[in-house]
Amino acid sequence: MRIATFNVNSITARLPRLLAWLESSGTDVVCVQETKCSEAQFPYEQLRELGYEAAVNATGRWNGVALISKVGLEDVVRGLPGGPEYEGVEEPRAISATCGGVRLWSVYVPNGREVEHDHYGYKLDWFRALTAAVAEDAAGPRPFAVLGDYNVAPTDEDVYDPAVFAGLTHVTPAERAALEALRGAGLSDVVPRPLKYDRPYTYWDYRQLAFPKNRGMRIDLVYGNEPFAKAVTDAYVDREERKGKGASDHAPVVVDLALDA
DNA sequence: ATGACTACCGCAGGTAGA
């Protein structure tokens, strides 16, 4: 089974490329972030024509997550149970379901904006709620993974130049400690292969030729429990999908699993 | 190369991304 996580930066803007990529890559399940649409605007029909069903948690122009699967989509849970609100709103940043026997979450962790900003505290609170919400499945016997845009680079190796990020969100000790807590719950970082260069970046800013210069970050992560990690046969960043006209600023992370019958 | 982002909402430019 081939699964993936992909921050599409608007599923409406990305739809032609997303549909072509689903077909060419043979992806069975993709965890999508930043749909940037309402549920009514979600392209269910175009996906259905390719054999995919979708579960969506989206409310409008910001955020939004989905699970798109052609191997089943059962026991859907929208949102992060016990998660914090931001400015009185429960934002659409999580959805989970069982696809082909694997329990999967698609998450879009809050950005944090600046270390002094309320959004940063919200981000850390969101991580705490996520860790609590996944603890039981993380420790369980069923293959389980949380995939998505974590908005944290796990180590200094995961940014093109640590000096550029000094004092900024995405690299602070508290954010990295939040990832460590998630690992403490029984999940491990499934690190993908880069298909070019030496580091598996997943995001490159649109500006200043960041992609051709490979000024990237690894912030789209796959955190799986032990049964999941044992089933992984390959993982890679599909950087081809970051190229050319109409690309997202993120590339998909693809994971191949060999599951028992 | 004296410049070098994209998307949303909505009709200008503010907000957001990381």
Side-chain angles (χ1 to χ4, degrees):
Chain A
M1 184 161 89
R2 172 162 284 178
I3 68 174
T5 181
F6 190 10
N7 179 324
V8 293
N9 185 20
S10 170
I11 200 165
T12 308
R14 215 62 56 217
L15 192 62
R17 283 190 65 142
L18 176 65
L19 296 174
W21 176 78
L22 283 170
E23 292 242 277
S24 65
S25 65
T27 299
D28 294 301
V29 185
V30 60
C31 304
V32 166
Q33 302 86 37
E34 286 208 84
T35 58
K36 291 186 169 178
C37 66
S38 65
E39 178 148 11
Q41 294 165 321
F42 191 86
Y44 289 103
E45 191 51 44
Q46 293 93 326
L47 290 163
R48 191 177 299 120
E49 286 167 9
L50 293 188
Y52 292 89
E53 53 188 326
V56 179
N57 183 12
T59 55
R61 73 184 294 196
W62 305 122
N63 314 308
V65 288
L67 287 161
I68 296 169
S69 171
K70 60 178 180 184
V71 292
L73 199 51
E74 295 160 14
D75 302 323
V76 174
V77 177
R78 288 174 182 77
L80 172 59
E85 294 183 342
Y86 186 68
E87 294 181 341
V89 177
E90 188 183 333
E91 297 177 319
R93 294 182 177 275
I95 190 166
S96 51
T98 304
C99 305
V102 183
R103 187 73 188 166
L104 298 171
W105 284 57
S106 175
V107 299
Y108 178 48
V109 176
N111 172 292
R113 299 185 189 168
E114 293 155 26
V115 173
E116 306 304 325
H117 200 287
D118 283 349
H119 212 259
Y120 180 77
Y122 168 56
K123 181 179 194 173
L124 297 178
D125 288 343
W126 205 92
F127 265 119
R128 278 188 277 273
L130 177 66
T131 304
V134 303
E136 190 175 332
D137 279 334
R142 176 172 57 170
F144 170 78
V146 181
L147 302 92
D149 180 352
Y150 281 67
N151 273 319
V152 180
T155 73
D156 280 352
E157 301 287 296
D158 296 309
V159 297
Y160 69 92
D161 181 0
V164 169
F165 294 90
L168 302 181
T169 61
H170 294 62
V171 300
T172 65
E175 288 165 281
R176 288 174 172 169
L179 291 182
E180 190 179 359
L182 207 48
R183 292 192 296 271
L187 301 179
S188 61
D189 187 351
V190 176
V191 180
R193 294 183 291 124
L195 296 186
K196 189 179 179 184
Y197 305 119
D198 59 339
R199 295 180 189 176
Y201 299 144
T202 65
Y203 163 84
W204 301 260
D205 197 292
Y206 282 124
R207 292 167 289 189
Q208 299 182 301
L209 307 175
F211 181 65
K213 292 177 178 176
N214 201 33
R215 294 178 179 166
M217 307 172 77
R218 185 171 78 94
I219 54 174
D220 298 272
L221 308 177
V222 178
Y223 267 42
N225 71 355
E226 194 175 341
F228 181 95
K230 277 184 174 170
V232 173
T233 58
D234 192 17
Y236 62 92
V237 180
D238 189 353
R239 69 187 304 284
E240 295 300 308
E241 202 50 35
R242 179 62 180 78
K243 294 181 178 178
K245 207 172 167 58
S248 171
D249 44 2
H250 297 248
V253 177
V254 178
V255 179
D256 288 328
L257 299 172
L259 298 163
D260 301 330

